[in-house]
Amino acid sequence: MIILDEKQYARRCLEENSLGENTYITLSIIAKYYYFDCGYKKKKIKELLKEFLTTNYIAFPKEENAWNNNIEKIVNKVNKQKLYEISGVKITKAEIDRIQTLQNKLLEKLAFTMLCLAKFHNAKNENNNGWVTTLGKELLNLANINCPQSRLNIHINNLYEAGLLDLPLRCDNTNCRINFIDNDGDEELFVSDFRNLGFEYLLYCGENYIRCAECGALTKGNKNGTKKYCSKCNSYSKLGFKIRYCIDCGTPFKVAPNVATKIRCDTCQHKHNNLNKKKWRDSKNDKSICI
Amino acid sequence: MGDTNMCTDNPILLKNTKSLPAIICLQKKAVKVIPTEYDIIEANKLAFNDDIGTITNRVTSMFELQAGFDKDSAEYKELEYRIMCGQHYQQCSIDRAKGIVAKPMPPYWFTSRGISENNFSEDEIQFQKKIMASHKPYFMTYVYSNLKTENNKYLRNSNSNAVRRFAKYGIETLQDLENYKSKTVGMKKFLEFYKLLSPVGNNACVVNRIAWLFEKEFCSYLKRLSSLEKNTDKCSFDYSILKSDTEYSQSNYDKIYQIYKDYTVLLKSYLIKAHAEKLDKFDNWVEIQKYIHWFQDRCYQVCCNADELNNIVIDICYQSENTKQFAWDICGDVIIKNLLNRYGGKISYPYCVKENGEFTYFGKKFEMRSINILEESNDYIG
């Protein structure tokens, strides 16, 4: 999972009450957001994270001990890493030219993806020096290459033989180092979406790819040029829960998509009902006195 | 080491038993006291986290290292001496539990830091590094699951790296690289590092060879099994016999499917944790039962009709090739009830007989007998 703008990601998770793909990573990012952006103390962050898990993670009561340890770990090291806000990576003309010397679309896609990842890691850490640690299935997914993982090693060997990357000296280290990074050249392409890097390269090469009108992900276009949505967004998708604010206390609460009239949170609604009942009883008593 | 006295005429054991002079370890004497409860508590505390097992493992590693040298070599003889001394250090470790201050095993026997701390000459450093018992032997991967995981990861990564570096020479696995005839300098260096950094010792000592023998045998067996599984049609099982005629709604199915997804994720993460922490079997069972009850409650909150719930979980689990555990955990009793109803309460079971059995298992003869559970239970109630 590549997260470019951690601040935005944390805000979105908090707004949508979402745990993301990996709960631990999401909690770490939210903790960093609270620490660096909101300026909260560690004790408060711990409480907020627990509250967040209680409302959004169904098995939290059962796994409370394990998650308490995780939260402790996350909060202890919250100040050791920055909250990254990377808008994207800049690809220069020289780098594109170097990739295009390969004359093989599959290898070019792979080299482009690895270049983007190396630049992303460089942006996160100045001492990274072009190393790419995302390899295997995730790399294949990002590069939009459909082949078995064993075949990936042969593709990497082709890039190594072409002199585009260096391999580590340790025999059990599977990372690679991209050696054609050019930070000073003119910007040719700016990549700000890391979901389909392979398609991003093909789009740059002039192939028929479109951005989904709903989610913005790249997808293959049709011959007529009428396609608008990716396969995930083009079919029926369930409406999610809506967030409303209570008219009495102002706290946000969840409502099912088909509920149109609920305007109070459960606690306020209960109080409101009791008040109404009381009023009704009082009015009844008044009438009896009148009679 | 003196734990067993045995007589045997087994030629293999006789051929491979070394006749060595008995080792008498010099034992330091502690002050003689009549032990009180406090002394026993103290001895118990000292015995916690002792090195006896660690020293035994180091000596075992020395056996494995020894298998890589000629019998006449200086390394072999030095290791022979260290193995004998290993018994002494074990004795010392036991003494420590009695409160005696005893000498530990020299660190340069098993760590490279220990070598650098001593003032060895350059040649001696090379010699000591060769016979340093820093890695556990390969067969111990079957004892320590963490070591197995580490070794498997190392093999997998080394394999990938070998292909990434030398695929243009037609290398597709590490085995290909080892068998490659005209090795380049890079290849030799790679293999040298591969052997040096391996988390386990791969010399051909006796137990390592036994482990490899077993692996070879079982590897072909597992291959046969997987091919057999492929050939068998997995969908041939008619799971409708586990269901009843009750119909269910799609909305309930969707809700239960969501619970099923939670179940697979939570149980998987719990089992990984339990395996890593080597939890006690009973504790593990208790914890899993808690999960099951919790999921049962959630399922019955969605659908309180047991037959309807049973049909839903059967359809969820048996339509895919994933585990069927969820169905049996949530509605195991209902499935059994449905099966009994379908066959009029009759069950068949193998019964051990002395003569004329229908089939033999484990040297005993069996025949299939039937019993009507419902009638039997009614009789019992009556």
Side-chain angles (χ1 to χ4, degrees):
Chain A
M1 186 170 58
I2 308 280
I3 299 157
L4 290 173
D5 192 341
E6 289 185 339
K7 192 174 166 180
Q8 200 190 355
Y9 179 79
R11 275 184 182 164
R12 204 176 63 230
C13 286
L14 288 171
E15 274 169 20
E16 293 173 5
N17 285 323
S18 153
L19 291 167
E21 280 179 38
N22 187 320
T23 312
Y24 188 88
I25 292 175
T26 307
L27 285 184
S28 308
I29 293 171
I30 291 174
K32 281 199 280 179
Y33 170 72
Y34 282 144
Y35 188 81
F36 291 107
D37 204 66
C38 307
Y40 293 156
K41 293 269 165 59
K42 286 186 177 180
K43 200 179 166 187
K44 193 177 178 186
I45 296 173
K46 229 182 263 182
E47 283 167 12
L48 287 170
L49 290 183
K50 273 183 200 171
E51 204 181 302
F52 181 73
L53 270 186
T54 318
T55 46
N56 300 308
Y57 190 53
I58 195 155
F60 180 67
K62 281 199 69 62
E63 298 181 344
E64 198 171 349
N65 286 341
W67 277 108
N68 281 345
N69 290 342
N70 284 340
I71 290 173
E72 193 81 28
K73 262 191 238 169
I74 289 168
V75 174
N76 284 343
K77 60 178 185 184
V78 70
N79 52 348
K80 287 180 184 165
Q81 273 196 333
K82 291 177 205 163
L83 183 73
Y84 300 108
E85 288 177 77
I86 301 164
S87 53
V89 293
K90 184 184 88 173
I91 307 293
T92 62
K93 179 84 177 111
E95 287 162 347
I96 294 279
D97 289 345
R98 188 80 178 88
I99 290 169
Q100 283 177 342
T101 55
L102 288 165
Q103 299 289 326
N104 179 330
K105 273 281 171 312
L106 192 145
L107 290 181
E108 285 173 34
K109 274 200 289 183
L110 185 63
F112 179 80
T113 307
M114 289 175 89
L115 173 72
C116 291
L117 289 173
K119 287 202 150 188
F120 166 67
H121 289 302
N122 283 358
K124 273 178 95 172
N125 179 5
E126 285 176 3
N127 301 325
N128 181 56
N129 206 13
W131 284 95
V132 181
T133 51
T134 318
L135 293 164
K137 205 175 171 184
E138 201 182 347
L139 178 65
L140 287 173
N141 285 343
L142 287 171
N144 304 107
I145 295 172
N146 191 10
C147 76
Q149 280 192 54
S150 52
R151 194 81 198 146
L152 175 68
N153 292 331
I154 294 169
H155 296 322
I156 290 178
N157 175 258
N158 290 332
L159 295 181
Y160 174 64
E161 291 298 334
L164 264 70
L165 51 88
D166 298 328
L167 293 172
L169 290 173
R170 260 190 88 104
C171 58
D172 62 329
N173 186 344
T174 52
N175 301 335
C176 301
R177 186 175 160 270
I178 300 295
N179 58 16
F180 62 97
I181 294 176
D182 168 37
N183 289 323
D184 307 324
D186 296 333
E187 183 181 313
E188 180 73 8
L189 179 66
F190 189 78
V191 183
S192 57
D193 182 359
F194 272 52
R195 279 176 289 184
N196 295 307
L197 290 167
F199 291 164
E200 205 76 48
Y201 178 74
L202 294 178
L203 179 72
Y204 169 79
C205 294
E207 290 196 18
N208 183 12
Y209 282 87
I210 54 141
R211 281 196 197 278
C212 173
E214 188 69 32
C215 64
L218 275 177
T219 183
K220 197 159 191 173
N222 59 1
K223 281 179 189 174
N224 309 330
T226 49
K227 191 175 173 183
K228 275 187 175 179
Y229 301 101
C230 66
S231 57
K232 277 182 189 170
C233 303
N234 68 0
S235 58
Y236 166 76
S237 58
K238 272 186 179 178
L239 284 172
F241 281 97
K242 291 185 280 190
I243 303 286
R244 279 194 193 152
Y245 294 90
C246 176
I247 56 160
D248 290 344
C249 63
T251 49
F253 63 96
K254 267 185 188 178
V255 283
N258 54 348
V259 176
T261 51
K262 193 171 179 180
I263 47 176
R264 288 184 182 85
C265 65
D266 290 339
T267 337
C268 291
Q269 189 65 49
H270 187 67
K271 280 180 195 168
H272 184 75
N273 291 349
N274 283 349
L275 205 72
N276 277 354
K277 272 181 198 171
K278 205 183 165 191
K279 272 183 192 172
W280 177 74
R281 268 195 222 111
D282 289 349
S283 64
K284 215 176 171 186
N285 290 340
D286 287 346
K287 273 179 195 172
S288 65
I289 290 161
C290 289
I291 291 162
Chain B
M1 294 198 184
D3 287 345
T4 313
N5 284 317
M6 64 178 282
C7 296
T8 181
D9 60 349
N10 185 315
I12 298 167
L13 288 181
L14 289 177
K15 195 183 159 191
N16 290 291
T17 306
K18 287 180 191 172
S19 306
L20 295 170
I23 300 166
I24 300 164
C25 298
L26 285 173
Q27 207 171 351
K28 288 184 181 173
K29 284 178 183 171
V31 184
K32 287 192 176 177
V33 286
I34 298 168
T36 60
E37 195 181 342
Y38 171 79
D39 293 326
I40 291 167
I41 292 169
E42 200 59 27
N44 258 342
K45 276 160 79 178
L46 285 167
F48 278 132
N49 202 18
D50 64 2
D51 283 345
I52 303 167
T54 318
I55 290 169
T56 314
N57 280 355
R58 281 176 201 150
V59 176
T60 316
S61 303
M62 287 173 193
F63 273 110
E64 179 268 325
L65 269 173
Q66 210 184 18
F69 298 108
D70 282 338
K71 279 196 175 179
D72 301 325
S73 64
E75 289 91 351
Y76 190 93
K77 282 172 188 164
E78 178 62 24
L79 282 168
E80 190 80 38
Y81 168 73
R82 288 185 184 181
I83 289 164
M84 279 198 280
C85 292
Q87 294 181 40
H88 167 67
Y89 287 114
Q90 273 180 326
Q91 186 65 52
C92 289
S93 179
I94 297 165
D95 283 349
R96 233 170 279 146
K98 296 174 194 165
I100 300 167
V101 179
K103 224 173 148 185
M105 188 182 257
Y108 69 91
W109 285 15
F110 56 88
T111 58
S112 53
R113 194 185 292 169
I115 296 173
S116 56
E117 279 168 5
N118 281 281
N119 293 325
F120 287 123
S121 66
E122 199 56 42
D123 291 345
E124 274 176 329
I125 288 174
Q126 292 305 321
F127 178 79
Q128 294 298 343
K129 275 187 179 171
K130 269 189 199 172
I131 56 170
M132 180 181 71
S134 57
H135 300 308
K136 290 192 178 82
Y138 171 74
F139 71 87
M140 281 199 184
T141 52
Y142 290 100
V143 185
Y144 303 104
S145 56
N146 285 349
L147 187 67
K148 190 170 180 65
T149 317
E150 193 188 346
N151 188 43
N152 285 350
K153 191 181 170 193
Y154 180 78
L155 288 176
R156 200 170 53 241
N157 288 349
S158 303
N159 208 51
S160 297
N161 242 342
V163 180
R164 284 175 189 184
R165 276 184 180 277
F166 311 112
K168 78 163 183 182
Y169 299 98
I171 305 288
E172 284 179 6
T173 57
L174 202 62
Q175 203 71 37
D176 289 348
L177 184 65
E178 276 169 350
N179 298 336
Y180 196 74
K181 279 178 186 169
S182 46
K183 290 188 183 78
T184 61
V185 182
M187 285 177 182
K188 282 176 188 165
K189 211 172 176 181
F190 184 89
L191 285 174
E192 196 185 313
F193 268 103
Y194 167 69
K195 278 175 190 161
L196 196 74
L197 299 173
S198 174
V200 292
N202 285 308
N203 287 313
C205 68
V206 177
V207 192
N208 267 359
R209 276 186 287 155
I210 293 172
W212 292 328
L213 201 72
F214 269 81
E215 276 172 11
K216 204 177 159 190
E217 276 302 310
F218 280 95
C219 179
S220 58
Y221 169 76
L222 289 173
K223 268 180 195 166
R224 280 206 305 273
L225 188 73
S226 59
S227 63
L228 196 74
E229 273 182 355
K230 269 181 196 171
N231 294 334
T232 338
D233 188 10
K234 283 180 186 170
C235 301
S236 60
F237 176 63
D238 177 21
Y239 61 84
S240 64
I241 56 164
L242 308 175
K243 297 202 297 184
S244 59
D245 298 332
T246 320
E247 289 184 354
Y248 58 80
S249 66
Q250 185 61 35
S251 65
N252 277 358
Y253 179 91
D254 291 344
K255 284 173 193 166
I256 299 289
Y257 189 74
Q258 205 54 44
I259 297 172
Y260 166 73
K261 280 206 287 196
D262 288 349
Y263 170 91
T264 44
V265 172
L266 279 183
L267 258 283
K268 198 178 168 188
S269 67
Y270 170 73
L271 289 175
I272 290 169
K273 194 184 106 189
H275 183 70
E277 290 178 10
K278 290 185 180 173
L279 285 185
D280 177 57
K281 265 188 184 177
F282 180 72
D283 291 346
N284 199 12
W285 180 80
V286 170
E287 199 59 33
I288 288 175
Q289 289 308 309
K290 276 186 199 168
Y291 273 101
I292 291 169
H293 287 309
W294 188 61
F295 278 108
Q296 270 179 342
D297 286 348
R298 280 185 67 195
C299 287
Y300 277 102
Q301 275 169 16
V302 171
C303 174
C304 53
N305 184 338
D307 286 327
E308 192 182 329
L309 180 64
N310 174 55
N311 290 355
I312 294 173
V313 293
I314 294 286
D315 278 344
I316 289 172
C317 296
Y318 280 83
Q319 274 173 358
S320 70
E321 286 177 9
N322 296 337
T323 173
K324 277 77 185 160
Q325 195 62 44
F326 179 69
W328 286 91
D329 282 345
I330 303 295
C331 296
D333 50 344
V334 187
I335 297 173
I336 299 288
K337 195 189 84 187
N338 284 345
L339 283 171
L340 283 173
N341 285 341
R342 196 170 287 272
Y343 296 101
K346 202 175 93 177
I347 61 162
S348 302
Y349 61 95
Y351 185 77
C352 186
V353 288
K354 284 180 183 171
E355 285 175 351
N356 302 330
E358 286 174 23
F359 59 92
T360 313
Y361 177 71
F362 225 63
K364 288 177 181 173
K365 288 177 179 173
F366 292 86
E367 66 176 22
M368 291 304 286
R369 287 192 181 180
S370 296
I371 185 173
N372 196 316
I373 290 275
L374 297 177
E375 278 174 19
E376 287 285 315
S377 58
N378 288 342
D379 289 349
Y380 181 73
I381 292 160

